[in-house]
Amino acid sequence: MKYDVLLVGATGQVGRYILRHPSLHDMSVAVLMRRASKKDAASELSYHFNGPLPQNIDILLGDALTCNLPTARHVFNAAGYTRLNSTIDKHWGPNVILSLRLAEHSFNVNAQYHHFSTVSAAMFRKFALTEALTPRLAPRNIPYTASKITTELLLPYVANRYQIYRIGDVVPDRALMKHDFRRNHWMSILFGCGKSGFEFIPSDRIFYVLTGTDIANCVMALAFNSTSNNRHHVLGYPYTLKYLSQFSGGSGSDIGQRIAKRVSHLLWKDETWVWPIDNGHTLRNLTNLGVEHEKLGDNYWRLFSSEARSRLFRGETPTHEYSYPGAGEKNTSNITSTDTAIS
């Protein structure tokens, strides 16, 4: 059977919003998942829909690195591996090989390949990162950043038709804050630390942030209306540190402050101001398509800050937390102050 869409990473921070997007309601969608059974997979996906799984979605069990992939017109790779401090061999498989296999499959079945890249978060951004430019290595986290950059360099040589979406910092929709909040996201860590976390960051730092719904609206508009190969900066609305820091009241625990120091080196290099990213091309395209980035107001950031402080630092070590009540599989792994997972 030939599907309209093959989605890998449907339960992730971005994939769950892509799967629920209205543009897919009338399309045949194959979701590839690594679960013990289709019953477990269906239970987890049904939770995201707050009801039965739509009939247009087929669940396929298997590992994208080894299984027989189905034929589709569009292949969306929303899978990710974002542990920052690790060895290059651990990043090579999930970040590079998996992406290239999906790109090669797209080429073989004449599909358009859609790649979600966190390379914007993987680099220091000392220089402007344009949408046509492959970024430079970040010296302090070379294994992680090298895998992201290597993937972007190789994709055009493997996929015949592709779209690369460089994603900003994804935060949960307000209505889904309790379920979609990521305790290990570096913004969550900084807010959880309170002002003791933000004090490590230059005062004129700009953050690009968007919600899961926002990213899905932008990506799906670009995905089905872009004919030429492109890199897009789907970064969201820019917020200044001065604005965000007013919502980071309170003081975090010792472990929170230590983690804040670990992640703060991502935000600048040699205390040099980071230039803005060039996302003008994407913004023009989105404007033409009638899509705008949502600006999150004071009430949202108060809620985000409160959630960060209440979840992150109750005296326990932060963990990965992507599971939901009633989900088929719980996936947690410890993070210590010297091994921080971010994206």
Side-chain angles (χ1 to χ4, degrees):
M1 175 179 177
K2 184 170 184 177
Y3 294 93
D4 293 315
V5 170
L6 167 62
L7 175 60
V8 179
T11 60
Q13 178 75 2
V14 173
R16 71 188 69 163
Y17 288 95
I18 298 296
L19 184 64
R20 292 198 300 256
H21 196 266
S23 64
L24 297 187
H25 290 178
D26 296 325
M27 296 186 180
S28 57
V29 180
V31 176
L32 184 63
M33 300 180 67
R34 293 184 297 176
R35 297 296 184 270
S37 68
K38 287 190 176 182
K39 181 179 179 180
D40 285 348
S43 174
E44 188 168 352
L45 292 178
S46 296
Y47 182 83
H48 298 315
F49 285 95
N50 195 28
L53 196 65
Q55 295 184 349
N56 67 311
I57 298 175
D58 281 351
I59 297 174
L60 307 177
L61 299 181
D63 189 324
L65 284 169
T66 57
C67 72
N68 292 324
L69 297 169
T71 302
R73 293 192 302 113
H74 294 268
V75 176
F76 286 85
N77 178 14
Y81 182 88
T82 57
R83 186 171 292 280
L84 176 63
N85 298 319
S86 188
T87 58
I88 191 64
D89 60 300
K90 291 185 178 180
H91 291 291
W92 188 261
N95 285 347
V96 183
I97 301 301
L98 182 145
S99 299
L100 294 182
R101 181 163 197 259
L102 292 174
E104 181 183 44
H105 174 69
S106 301
F107 175 81
N108 291 336
V109 300
N110 194 31
Q112 188 170 45
Y113 177 64
H114 303 271
H115 183 78
F116 295 89
S117 174
T118 56
V119 75
S120 294
M123 60 177 298
F124 283 109
R125 294 181 274 192
K126 181 177 180 181
F127 301 99
L129 174 59
T130 66
E131 291 171 308
L133 177 68
T134 299
R136 308 177 183 203
L137 288 176
R140 297 191 189 181
N141 33 287
I142 283 179
Y144 171 71
T145 314
S147 65
K148 299 290 186 181
I149 294 175
T150 300
T151 302
E152 280 205 15
L153 281 171
L154 294 178
L155 282 179
Y157 295 97
V158 179
N160 182 39
R161 297 186 295 133
Y162 64 88
Q163 302 293 326
I164 297 174
Y165 311 96
R166 291 172 172 170
I167 306 303
D169 292 305
V170 182
V171 295
D173 286 23
R174 177 169 180 161
L176 301 173
M177 182 78 73
K178 295 293 183 182
H179 297 317
D180 276 5
F181 197 88
R182 296 178 63 194
R183 66 168 63 201
N184 65 301
H185 188 281
W186 73 268
M187 285 192 68
S188 306
I189 292 171
L190 291 175
F191 273 96
C193 295
K195 297 189 183 304
S196 60
F198 278 87
E199 69 187 16
F200 298 108
I201 308 172
S203 60
D204 49 2
R205 179 68 165 90
I206 294 176
F207 298 82
Y208 289 91
V209 184
L210 70 172
T211 64
T213 294
D214 199 7
I215 190 176
N217 289 337
C218 294
V219 165
M220 300 312 279
L222 294 167
F224 298 124
N225 291 282
S226 298
T227 55
S228 59
N229 297 334
N230 252 321
R231 288 185 178 91
H232 310 276
H233 276 160
V234 185
L235 300 171
Y237 194 86
Y239 302 85
T240 64
L241 171 68
K242 183 178 180 181
Y243 171 74
L244 293 179
S245 61
Q246 65 181 308
F247 306 108
S248 63
S251 178
S253 65
D254 289 342
I255 187 173
Q257 294 179 37
R258 291 199 303 272
I259 293 178
K261 292 177 182 178
R262 288 286 296 176
V263 301
S264 62
H265 71 264
L266 289 174
L267 307 178
W268 75 91
K269 179 181 179 181
D270 300 328
E271 300 181 357
T272 303
W273 165 237
V274 181
W275 298 352
I277 292 176
D278 178 7
N279 61 336
H281 176 73
T282 297
L283 290 178
R284 286 192 296 272
N285 286 345
L286 290 173
T287 298
N288 292 336
L289 294 169
V291 181
E292 295 182 353
H293 290 310
E294 178 186 3
K295 181 179 179 180
L296 301 173
D298 295 4
N299 289 337
Y300 177 90
W301 290 112
R302 289 192 187 98
L303 180 62
F304 184 91
S305 181
S306 173
E307 195 70 20
R309 293 197 303 275
S310 64
R311 282 199 184 216
L312 289 173
F313 306 111
R314 298 171 182 161
E316 76 270 17
T317 302
T319 62
H320 285 292
E321 194 170 84
Y322 295 109
S323 60
Y324 301 87
E329 177 179 284
K330 186 173 179 65
N331 178 22
T332 63
S333 59
N334 286 334
I335 304 169
T336 70
S337 59
T338 58
D339 190 10
T340 305
I342 69 165
S343 64

